[in-house]
Amino acid sequence: MAPLYLLLLLILPSLLAAPACAEEVPDRYAVLQAPRAAAAKEYLDPTFPLPQPPPAAPSCTVPVLSYSFGDTYGAAPAKASYAPPAGCPAPWSLVVLTFSASCAGDQYDRVAAVWLDGAELLRTTTAEPTPEGVRWTVRKDVTRYSALLRSPPGGVLSVMLENVVNDKYTGVYSVNVSLEFHGTPPYLSDAAASSSSPAGVASNDPEAPMLPDSYFQPADLIIPISDGIGNGKGGYWFRIQNASDSHSKFVTIPSSTYRAVLEVFVSPHSNDEYWYSNPPDIYIKENNLTTRRGNAAYREVVVSVDHRFVGSFVPFPVIYTGGINPLFWQPVAALGAFDLPTYDVELTPFLGLLVDSNAHEIGLSVVDGIAEWLVDANLHLWLDPSTSDVHAALGSYQTPRLKISRQYSTRLLEGRFKIKAKRRSSFSGWVKSSFGNFTTEVETELKATSLVEFTGDGKNKTVSLEAKQETKTLIRADTRKVIGKVEREAKYPLSLFTETEDGENGTSLITVTLSHGLSVETETETRAFESKEKLDDRQTAEGWMVVMDHDVVNGSVATTQAYRFSDEDREYERTIDVMDGAVLSDNVTESFSALAGAGAADACWRCRGRSCDGAGAAACRVHAGIAALQGPDQD
Ligand SMILES: *[C@@H]1O[C@H](CO)[C@@H](O)[C@H](O)[C@H]1NC(C)=O
Ligand SMILES: *[C@@H]1O[C@H](CO)[C@@H](O)[C@H](O)[C@H]1NC(C)=O
Ligand SMILES: *[C@@H]1O[C@H](CO)[C@@H](O)[C@H](O)[C@H]1NC(C)=O
Ligand SMILES: *[C@@H]1O[C@H](CO)[C@@H](O)[C@H](O)[C@H]1NC(C)=O
Ligand SMILES: *[C@@H]1O[C@H](CO)[C@@H](O)[C@H](O)[C@H]1NC(C)=O
Ligand SMILES: *[C@@H]1O[C@H](CO)[C@@H](O)[C@H](O)[C@H]1NC(C)=O
Ligand SMILES: *[C@@H]1O[C@H](CO)[C@@H](O)[C@H](O)[C@H]1NC(C)=O
Ligand SMILES: *[C@@H]1O[C@H](CO)[C@@H](O)[C@H](O)[C@H]1NC(C)=O
């Protein structure tokens, strides 16, 4: 994941001939000689299976790009032209981006992204190949980018995958990107029209104001907050090098904007790839260590408008497929590695600063960040179809100070570094559009506790991160009555124990126990509907590996993956047990309750050919064996 670091490695091989030092663990590794008898050819990342498009919906698949990424470090992204399919016009019920890749040889994991006219659609990282070859497919619901897909300003899709190919690292990544469009069949659009007001029209009953339907639909306009320098040469992402390295873009938004959300994409690399396990500089200095993975273990991504803080988040500590122990991630990729989480920051309270037809500066930075972070964002805007004269003003703005306490103790290579961080912010602002005068209040509380501890003369390392972010958004009508409420809680627990022992011939034996989670709960309540979504994705892994330089030469591991998603009408669970690259069990359980306004038949079509227990609460059950590696959604 660290092109710059790798370059150093190539130029100064002698510096890296020493065995992995304790302070360098975790590190990035490529699996060169580990036993591969059981190595899988197909990698996977269990996620909720994308909804099947409704029956009889017209659908079209547009192959957009096909490219082999050889020695591409520093090169311009691969580009292809894109136009929406004539046979499947918008509005779409579902749009899916498919990124499929294959690679054979030896290679590190690499970062990649897909942009449409500079707006990012997918941030991903690659699996590490074997000489026999591996492949995998990422499928992402990109319906929220409908505005851009419908009328792309330039019609250029770009893919950047920074790879380095030489005598030792031979793997070339072949990538295909396609887009799949599903229309809305007439029986559904008729049902939608009769069950609620038409899109974009709010209730005109002054006694019972409502959010317009368009509020919860894909935005009307998406403006990239990305690096367009040299037409995206080197990728459209901003490269953030340190805590004071803020990157920004000036944007002028339409004066009909009534809602704004900034969606941020981030991935840490090089010295910050394992930011959650970095010791403070004092430890590195006192021990005369050469590592540059420092600056302690707290990071927070901050968004600003005209240099004013408007939101922040602790990024999910994503692990790439070469990270910590690459054998853990064969063939189940680490959480989010194939489709990195993005982070939405509600900017509606700040529309008062933005809708004046002037250019405003949207900035991105990383608290305590060191080289390097790849960061960019999409500004999603919802427009009032009836007036281009929206008025807005910022109301209360509670200066959101970061409270951070650090307790450090060191004695030579032993040390204990604890950080507690907390940030609470509360903003409100009103927006008067043709829908009414709505006030949006956003309250956020972010709490993180991080511990990095070295014991046993630095040979043992314990890392733990508990990050939790709660966001509550209330939308009030002129009457002060709450007409919309969204509550979201995200938690990212990570714990890691590593023991390093010196082996023979300059090797190290590294034993790791890991537990990692991504849990997000979202509750939405409006006068028209209520919804509750819960995602809980967890991995535990343990095992050992023998490493020589950055190569894994032997090892044995076991990983358990448990993915759970539920909302008011379904529950989906997939658990996978893996040992030394072989899938021991892959169990899927799904159940559906009756959908509001739809009969069991509708619930049953979701079972997609699997047995359906019909009636009121339809349930489909699958017990997949080892063969069902691709998951039930791809059958
Ligand atoms: C990409 O598409 C081509 C043509 O359909 C196909 O031969 C190739 O196997 C695909 N590669 C991947 C990685 O999916
Ligand atoms: C931060 O990074 C920027 C961009 O590389 C550089 O110009 C600046 O000098 C750096 N600042 C510090 C304090 O290192
Ligand atoms: C670090 O280097 C300095 C200067 O060479 C030396 O005095 C000190 O003892 C070294 N510290 C350790 C822990 O090796
Ligand atoms: C909109 O509502 C807010 C809060 O009630 C009020 O302060 C503001 O004056 C109203 N704006 C307009 C244009 O009516
Ligand atoms: C490291 O941790 C392991 C497992 O807890 C323990 O057995 C071992 O003694 C520790 N090593 C050192 C050098 O403290
Ligand atoms: C260490 O290297 C020597 C000489 O190349 C070799 O004979 C020996 O088998 C190696 N030991 C291990 C454990 O790989
Ligand atoms: C890998 O480790 C296993 C178990 O310790 C051992 O039997 C095997 O010989 C090792 N393989 C290599 C290539 O060193
Ligand atoms: C999958 O189901 C089988 C049979 O019920 C069970 O033995 C196994 O432990 C399950 N695997 C997981 C990962 O839950």
Side-chain angles (χ1 to χ4, degrees):
M1 297 327 306
L4 289 176
Y5 184 62
L6 185 74
L7 284 186
L8 279 180
L9 184 151
L10 299 174
I11 298 161
L12 306 167
S14 58
L15 274 188
L16 288 132
C21 313
E23 84 277 3
E24 285 279 18
V25 171
D27 208 333
R28 59 198 302 262
Y29 304 101
V31 182
L32 290 194
Q33 298 155 39
R36 283 190 176 129
K41 292 215 176 344
E42 174 99 29
Y43 278 72
L44 63 153
D45 177 16
T47 54
F48 186 69
L50 293 176
Q52 279 287 98
S59 67
C60 308
T61 300
V62 181
V64 186
L65 181 136
S66 189
Y67 194 83
S68 289
F69 293 88
D71 200 18
T72 50
Y73 183 71
K79 299 197 173 193
S81 55
Y82 158 80
C88 293
W92 299 298
S93 55
L94 176 70
V95 187
V96 178
L97 180 142
T98 301
F99 179 101
S100 43
S102 66
C103 187
D106 289 318
Q107 194 50 266
Y108 279 115
D109 56 300
R110 302 292 179 189
V111 63
V114 179
W115 295 271
L116 180 54
D117 293 330
E120 189 160 345
L121 306 183
L122 172 73
R123 178 74 56 97
T124 185
T125 63
T126 67
E128 290 196 341
T130 61
E132 300 75 37
V134 299
R135 54 192 306 126
W136 73 97
T137 298
V138 186
R139 279 168 61 76
K140 180 177 176 182
D141 182 343
V142 292
T143 318
R144 78 181 294 196
Y145 309 110
S146 286
L148 199 60
L149 293 162
R150 188 168 52 227
S151 35
V156 178
L157 185 127
S158 337
V159 177
M160 182 76 181
L161 191 159
E162 295 188 323
N163 197 12
V164 175
V165 172
N166 53 38
D167 292 349
K168 188 171 181 200
Y169 298 104
T170 52
V172 169
Y173 288 101
S174 297
V175 172
N176 290 346
V177 175
S178 65
L179 286 157
E180 194 182 294
F181 296 85
H182 302 279
T184 309
Y187 67 90
L188 277 187
S189 38
D190 293 351
S194 63
S195 70
S196 62
S197 55
V201 178
S203 154
N204 50 12
D205 178 359
E207 293 305 307
M210 278 177 81
L211 287 170
D213 283 358
S214 59
Y215 190 95
F216 290 101
Q217 282 164 8
D220 301 298
L221 179 66
I222 295 168
I223 301 179
I225 308 297
S226 62
D227 194 345
I229 289 171
N231 200 11
K233 176 150 177 53
Y236 289 88
W237 35 43
F238 294 120
R239 294 171 183 269
I240 293 182
Q241 306 298 323
N242 57 50
S244 47
D245 192 18
S246 170
H247 287 250
S248 63
K249 195 175 150 187
F250 281 89
V251 292
T252 305
I253 71 167
S255 52
S256 58
T257 305
Y258 79 89
R259 185 182 180 209
V261 169
L262 189 76
E263 178 197 22
V264 186
F265 291 76
V266 301
S267 54
H269 304 279
S270 295
N271 296 325
D272 245 1
E273 178 173 340
Y274 307 103
W275 60 268
Y276 46 83
S277 89
N278 283 12
D281 291 351
I282 179 172
Y283 175 83
I284 296 171
K285 213 167 149 194
E286 277 185 2
N287 290 294
N288 298 334
L289 305 177
T290 54
T291 183
R292 291 164 70 202
R293 298 176 193 272
N295 218 25
Y298 182 71
R299 302 291 183 267
E300 184 186 342
V301 179
V302 170
V303 178
S304 66
V305 170
D306 297 335
H307 303 281
R308 181 197 282 258
F309 175 101
V310 296
S312 72
F313 55 89
V314 169
F316 173 69
V318 64
I319 300 169
Y320 308 129
T321 58
I324 301 187
N325 181 338
L327 302 174
F328 285 171
W329 322 121
Q330 294 181 358
V332 178
L335 305 179
F338 283 168
D339 181 3
L340 275 77
T342 65
Y343 308 84
D344 283 356
V345 177
E346 181 71 54
L347 292 187
T348 309
F350 299 96
L351 279 180
L353 308 176
L354 293 166
V355 285
D356 58 2
S357 305
N358 292 321
H360 293 277
E361 188 176 5
I362 309 235
L364 297 160
S365 58
V366 181
V367 171
D368 285 356
I370 56 173
E372 92 174 342
W373 288 71
L374 300 179
V375 183
D376 60 25
N378 294 327
L379 182 58
H380 294 248
L381 302 174
W382 284 258
L383 309 180
D384 187 330
S386 335
T387 176
S388 60
D389 194 20
V390 166
H391 290 267
L394 179 62
S396 81
Y397 176 85
Q398 308 255 333
T399 316
R401 277 263 168 75
L402 172 65
K403 283 192 198 140
I404 187 158
S405 71
R406 302 168 191 267
Q407 281 176 285
Y408 296 167
S409 63
T410 68
R411 202 180 55 85
L412 297 175
L413 283 166
E414 308 219 330
R416 185 183 160 87
F417 312 105
K418 191 164 184 179
I419 301 177
K420 278 188 166 189
K422 186 170 171 178
R423 193 191 300 258
R424 220 187 236 165
S425 59
S426 145
F427 311 124
S428 84
W430 59 263
V431 179
K432 174 135 178 30
S433 68
S434 69
F435 304 125
N437 178 4
F438 298 155
T439 300
T440 303
E441 301 171 1
V442 181
E443 258 181 53
T444 306
E445 187 180 79
L446 185 164
K447 277 188 187 164
T449 306
S450 134
L451 173 74
V452 175
E453 187 173 19
F454 295 92
T455 52
D457 207 20
K459 294 288 186 195
N460 282 0
K461 183 174 182 180
T462 304
V463 172
S464 113
L465 175 73
E466 286 285 339
K468 177 171 157 185
Q469 181 147 2
E470 289 174 294
T471 309
K472 184 170 165 186
T473 306
L474 291 181
I475 303 120
R476 295 181 192 274
D478 311 46
T479 58
R480 306 300 298 152
K481 209 181 217 163
V482 174
I483 54 167
K485 184 167 103 178
V486 181
E487 285 181 285
R488 188 175 184 277
E489 185 187 277
K491 285 195 246 175
Y492 310 142
L494 170 67
S495 80
L496 190 60
F497 176 76
T498 307
E499 187 186 354
T500 308
E501 294 164 63
D502 294 333
E504 280 178 73
N505 292 356
T507 62
S508 299
L509 169 65
I510 302 177
T511 309
V512 185
T513 312
L514 171 137
S515 146
H516 196 194
L518 169 64
S519 117
V520 183
E521 260 185 77
T522 312
E523 269 185 72
T524 309
E525 215 182 305
T526 74
R527 296 200 38 233
F529 70 94
E530 276 179 38
S531 77
K532 186 171 178 168
E533 286 187 357
K534 203 172 160 180
L535 162 68
D536 189 57
D537 201 1
R538 236 157 251 281
Q539 281 174 337
T540 54
E542 58 185 328
W544 58 271
M545 61 177 173
V546 174
V547 304
M548 188 172 234
D549 298 345
H550 287 248
D551 302 334
V552 177
V553 296
N554 201 356
S556 178
V557 299
T559 302
T560 299
Q561 150 85 49
Y563 180 94
R564 287 187 189 87
F565 176 86
S566 64
D567 63 14
E568 56 287 342
D569 45 53
R570 60 203 155 172
E571 260 182 59
Y572 173 88
E573 194 175 324
R574 185 168 176 192
T575 48
I576 305 176
D577 268 337
V578 179
M579 187 177 251
D580 294 334
V583 175
L584 302 182
S585 71
D586 182 350
N587 299 346
V588 179
T589 313
E590 274 183 281
S591 56
F592 298 93
S593 50
L595 306 169
D602 292 80
C604 278
W605 68 252
R606 289 167 179 260
C607 292
R608 282 164 272 149
R610 281 162 281 148
S611 65
C612 177
D613 302 344
C620 353
R621 284 186 196 280
V622 171
H623 179 82
I626 296 167
L629 261 191
Q630 297 191 14
D633 51 319
Q634 290 162 19
D635 53 17

